[in-house]
Amino acid sequence: MNKFAVLFLMVFALPTLGSAPAVSGVSALPEQLPPDLVWETNLDDPIYASPNAVRGGMYRGFLGSFPLTLRRVGPDSNSGISPYLRGLALGTTGLHPNTLRPIPHLATHWAYGSDGVSIYFKLDPGARWSDGPPVTADDYLFTLEFMRSPYIVGPWYKDHYTNVILDVKKYGSHIIGVLGSAPKTPAEMHYLYGLQPVPRHFHKLDENWVRDYNWKIEPVTGPYHITDIRKGKYIEFRRIDDWWGDNKRYFKYRFNMDRVLLKVVRTANTAWQYFTKGELESFGLVLPQLWHKKARGEIFDNNYVVRYKFYNDVPRPAFGIYLNEDDPILADKRVRYAIAHAMNIELVLEKILRNDYERLQTMHEGFGDYSNTSIKARPFDLSKANTYLDEAGWRERGGDGIRLKDGERLSLRVTYAQPHHTVRLVVLQEEARKAGIELRLQLLDGATAFKQVHQKRHQLAWFGWAGGGMSPVFWEFFHSDQAHIPQTNNITNTDNPEMDRLIDRYRASTSEAERKILAITLEQMVHDQGSLIPTFKIPYIRGAYWRWVKLPPAHGTRSSDVLFEPMPYSFGGGEGGPDIGGLFWYDAAEKQRTLDARDRGIKLDNMDWVDETWRVN
């Protein structure tokens, strides 16, 4: 997703990388490197792909809706295709998904500046754009011009590349330096200050950029590129012949499919039918009704399909109900608290989700010492809900039991995008009526729902943010700079001056210990704000795949939140995050054997598995 004032304990002055010239996006003259740099790399961590992997075949996946654009940034750029497009825009480095140490991507070496906020990269001279030109330092200089440009209409990017990444300097055609806003741990520096270059030779920045580049196919540095599009139907990627990264240590044996076809399949039921016919290679079964009820029948009984459950150790996605504080009803904190206490999440967990999931207590779980484990989500409690609503002036009830205030009904629209979530919301809807709250369910397709929420036109959004990062992020979700304007991630429109001050301090802090204390304090403030009702968390991934798809012996990695992602994919979406995609491959002989057995009704050996290697107790 795109997105990621001031009381300080001490005065904090940002160090500089020399004389920090203005970035113009044109080729800059080389700077002089600091003399004390110690260059390092990492070619020692274990390879997590399988040497037994073979190249070839087609992977068939699906999108819930056709994207509104092929741009990686700007309006409508968050959609089902976004992880593919962003994954193919490799960054300078990634993190090893098991050790969480930096590993080479577009850079072969890196060094940390003595100022504590700068990091330097030696770029791989063999790296090339998919349309031919080499990747050079000038592309990284252009990244700043591009991301800061008003023409891309990307507020989060503009802020991140202005206030988090302060400058980029060129020290020759294949060496750059990046100046960050505050000292970080090495892993966080790679995650936050690593860069994805933007192809300067491709883009023309002007007032028509959003329109002109809506359907243009941007050159990439990753192993696949788009080769065919049929609007409303499908998008096809093909592997790049002689991709420059083929023999690199952490890319070798990965990204094995020759083609990736993403069909638009608008309902989960239809996608499931495609899968059971063998027209999709894999299918997620994290939904209890799929795992317990639908994953039955001949293809499972005869073991043509493999069922799996894989525990991981990652920050948990922030699934919840996000309340828009700009709505007149929801501006009252007492109403927000009442709604939270009227949401019978526990009943949904028990009756609908079969206790397969767990209650999410806060927005940021799974970040170790940064997480505030003392917070518990507000439980279903009609007595408290009634008290808060009475205090807020919603004392009367209409003939149908819904509360009234000055003739207005306490009726709220819930925007959501997954049809299979309807049954969960119906339970919440029925329980909320006991407190006199009417929930009106608004099911939209994914792209439309996302657009409505990002334009801040929702009341309640049944929504989830992917987990990720090395520490919690608050600015993009809760700072007032991101409130009351479209296309930002502060979808609750939280505008709290005290929270702003602490968020600014957290972003600028030079101390890891202080950052942890601030994160715990801020998480408490988020809870006290009451604009987020946490719902569920899932400590594993599970699903099914046809047995002609093969995985490494370890199945996945500590950071894997998906096993069947054919392309480069970074958990959490960070440019330098854990690198987990492209580990599986296609076995043509096994496919023929499986299909022959299915035609003849022959039962094969059971290959189902559960992997608890990375399970967190």
Side-chain angles (χ1 to χ4, degrees), residues 346-507:
E346 295 79 6
L347 183 63
V348 176
L349 281 167
E350 178 185 355
K351 298 299 184 182
I352 305 300
L353 301 177
R354 298 179 176 232
N355 288 318
D356 283 5
Y357 302 175
E358 301 172 11
R359 181 73 197 264
L360 185 71
Q361 304 296 336
T362 67
M363 183 171 185
H364 296 106
E365 289 197 29
F367 290 92
D369 292 341
Y370 284 91
S371 294
N372 189 334
T373 57
S374 67
I375 296 174
K376 302 301 177 187
R378 293 179 178 86
F380 179 68
D381 188 326
L382 288 177
S383 176
K384 288 184 177 180
N386 288 329
T387 297
Y388 281 122
L389 290 175
D390 288 344
E391 291 176 355
W394 296 89
R395 299 183 183 88
E396 299 180 29
R397 292 201 186 219
D400 58 358
I402 301 303
R403 289 178 178 261
L404 302 170
K405 180 180 179 182
D406 300 329
E408 181 180 8
R409 289 164 58 81
L410 186 49
S411 179
L412 298 163
R413 184 181 70 254
V414 183
T415 301
Y416 68 110
Q418 299 88 2
H420 56 271
H421 286 187
T422 300
V423 63
R424 307 178 191 182
L425 286 163
V426 166
V427 171
L428 298 181
Q429 184 184 51
E430 292 173 351
E431 293 293 295
R433 290 188 71 90
K434 297 175 182 178
I437 301 171
E438 179 181 55
L439 299 180
R440 293 178 284 109
L441 307 186
Q442 183 189 43
L443 173 63
L444 303 172
D445 70 82
T448 304
F450 197 92
K451 184 171 185 175
Q452 181 188 106
V453 172
H454 265 71
Q455 289 180 345
K456 316 293 176 72
R457 293 188 287 106
H458 63 290
Q459 288 182 298
L460 275 60
W462 179 263
F463 207 73
W465 297 108
M470 310 308 297
S471 58
V473 174
F474 295 97
W475 180 85
E476 64 183 81
F477 298 113
F478 299 109
H479 197 286
S480 64
D481 283 353
Q482 299 294 284
H484 322 304
I485 54 176
Q487 303 295 335
T488 74
N489 282 357
N490 186 348
I491 61 174
T492 61
N493 283 310
T494 296
D495 187 345
N496 181 328
E498 178 60 23
M499 192 182 297
D500 284 352
R501 288 193 288 271
L502 292 185
I503 290 173
D504 289 335
R505 230 174 80 191
Y506 174 76
R507 293 181 89 193

Side-chain angles (χ1 to χ4, degrees), residues 132-148:
V135 180
T136 70
D138 289 329
D139 293 309
Y140 290 87
L141 295 184
F142 181 66
T143 297
L144 253 64
E145 178 185 356
F146 181 85
M147 295 301 183
R148 292 173 175 178

